[in-house]
């Protein structure tokens, strides 16, 4: 009972910090909106990274990255990660630094007051129930890749509530990677489930929050026929690593 009360009170504090930071940074976001789309979008990510840094610091969430191998920040990637918590979005801001990127996000996020407008400008949003909308979003992301901007996609689409390492993947990330011939670089979010559980928005608590960079996979020479193979390969790579690192949501 004591732990539940602490998490509830800490969540109220965390939401207050989140809202206060958003209001303080709102003039900068408005400035970014007035810029041209590409420059404005890049500015939004710079501001959002500061936002994430401040939020993690003020809520005593300690982030660090673990790298299985070095990677070149001057190269464009299709970043993919597991999706297990509301904290995954600020984690995206924390793990990818020193390069431009765009996130593929859920259209429902656009409905959040104030934050939704920021999210819509900075992310490529998609209604995953609409095949035409999914196709249009893929084309938008491909256009960003051609402008030397990496993309970040959660191929599970929605929260993994299965208590397995991962839920099934959509094809989009792998089609984009093959069409643009850019490497896929998986990143695991190991602790966001423990810091803010998808079961309750009142479960925020301080602690570690690791990002695990796995080895990249080249897509050079692959064609559309290779999408199933590539999807299965990345799924197994991420699944095995989540089991190895003993992700806390996994149960028999």
């Amino acid at each position: 009972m004591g732990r539940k009360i602490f998490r509830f009170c800490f969540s109220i504090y965390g939401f207050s910090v989140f809202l206060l930071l958003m209001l303080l940074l709102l003039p900068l976001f408005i400035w970014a909106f007035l810029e041209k789309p590409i420059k404005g979008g890049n500015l939004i990510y710079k501001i959002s990274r500061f936002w994430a840094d401040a939020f993690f610091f003020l809520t005593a969430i300690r982030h660090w990255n673990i790298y299985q191998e070095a990677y070149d920040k001057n190269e464009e990637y299709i970043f993919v990660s597991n999706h297990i918590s509301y904290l995954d979005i600020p984690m995206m801001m924390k793990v990818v630094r020193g390069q431009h990127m765009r996130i593929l996000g859920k259209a429902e996020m656009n409905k959040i007051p104030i934050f939704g407008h920021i999210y819509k400008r900075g992310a490529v949003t998609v209604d995953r129930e609409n095949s035409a909308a999914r196709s249009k979003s893929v084309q938008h992301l491909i256009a960003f890749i051609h402008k030397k901007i990496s993309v970040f996609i959660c191929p599970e689409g929605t929260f993994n509530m299965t208590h397995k390492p991962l839920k099934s993947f959509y094809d989009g990330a792998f089609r984009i990677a093959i069409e643009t011939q850019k490497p896929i670089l998986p990143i695991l979010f190991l602790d966001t489930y423990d810091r803010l559980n998808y079961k309750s928005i009142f479960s925020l608590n301080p602690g570690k929050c690791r990002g695990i960079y796995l080895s990249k996979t080249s897509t050079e020479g692959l064609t559309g026929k290779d999408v199933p193979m590539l999807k299965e390969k990345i799924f197994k790579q991420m699944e095995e690593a989540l089991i190895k690192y003993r992700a806390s949501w996994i149960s028999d």
Side-chain angles (χ1 to χ4, degrees):
M1 179 61 71
R3 181 176 295 182
K4 288 184 178 180
I5 293 174
F6 169 78
R7 289 194 172 193
F8 179 84
C9 294
F10 193 82
S11 296
I12 297 298
Y13 163 73
F15 297 148
S16 299
V17 168
F18 181 85
L19 181 59
L20 178 60
L21 288 172
M22 182 167 58
L23 292 175
L24 289 174
L25 294 172
L26 188 58
L28 294 178
F29 283 119
I30 293 174
W31 169 47
F33 291 156
L34 297 176
E35 295 288 348
K36 294 181 179 180
I38 296 297
K39 183 178 180 180
N42 292 340
L43 280 172
I44 284 175
Y45 277 84
K46 288 183 180 179
I47 300 166
S48 297
R49 283 171 174 135
F50 174 80
W51 186 358
D53 289 345
F55 178 76
F56 273 42
F57 175 77
L58 292 170
T59 54
I61 296 175
R62 307 183 310 278
H63 162 264
W64 68 91
N65 290 332
I66 298 170
Y67 299 89
Q68 286 194 350
E69 64 178 37
Y71 81 101
D72 184 359
K73 292 184 178 181
N74 295 314
E75 185 176 1
E76 296 79 51
Y77 297 92
I78 312 300
F79 294 105
V80 295
S81 75
N82 58 304
H83 192 22
I84 197 72
S85 167
Y86 293 105
L87 207 58
D88 291 343
I89 293 175
M91 269 295 284
M92 293 175 190
M93 300 298 105
K94 296 289 288 182
V95 297
V96 178
R97 312 299 285 250
Q99 59 192 125
H100 297 310
M101 73 168 183
R102 293 295 185 274
I103 294 170
L104 178 65
K106 297 179 237 183
E108 308 92 86
M109 299 291 287
N110 297 337
K111 300 176 183 178
I112 301 175
I114 304 178
F115 176 81
H117 293 286
I118 299 170
Y119 186 83
K120 185 176 181 180
R121 180 63 183 268
V124 176
T125 58
V126 59
D127 178 358
R128 294 188 185 274
E129 304 303 318
N130 185 317
S131 59
R134 291 201 305 270
S135 178
K136 186 176 180 180
S137 297
V138 165
Q139 294 307 312
H140 283 168
L141 291 173
I142 289 173
F144 280 120
I145 287 287
H146 291 320
K147 291 181 173 68
K148 307 295 183 181
I149 297 174
S150 296
V151 301
F152 201 123
I153 301 174
C154 297
E156 293 169 290
T158 57
F159 291 143
N160 171 22
M161 302 181 184
T162 66
H163 292 289
K164 296 180 180 179
L166 298 164
K167 66 187 293 292
S168 59
F169 283 177
Y170 285 91
D171 289 350
F174 311 100
R175 293 190 182 280
I176 292 171
I178 288 174
E179 183 165 341
T180 58
Q181 295 289 281
K182 295 297 181 181
I184 291 183
L185 182 49
I187 304 175
L188 304 181
F189 296 159
L190 275 184
D191 308 297
T192 53
Y193 176 83
D194 299 315
R195 301 285 72 79
L196 182 60
N197 198 297
Y198 62 77
K199 297 176 183 178
S200 172
I201 61 173
F202 296 107
S203 61
L204 182 68
N205 65 100
K208 64 184 178 182
C209 220
R210 295 164 293 173
I212 313 294
Y213 274 76
L214 305 182
S215 57
K216 69 179 181 181
T217 295
S218 173
T219 61
E220 291 184 11
L222 300 184
T223 68
K225 294 180 180 179
D226 298 308
V227 167
M229 176 276 295
L230 181 62
K231 181 170 67 172
E232 182 179 2
K233 177 180 179 180
I234 301 301
F235 185 95
K236 287 184 176 179
Q237 180 189 18
M238 294 173 66
E239 180 182 51
E240 289 173 0
L242 286 168
I243 293 171
K244 173 185 174 182
Y245 284 100
R246 299 181 180 179
S248 60
W249 62 87
I250 301 175
S251 62
D252 294 332

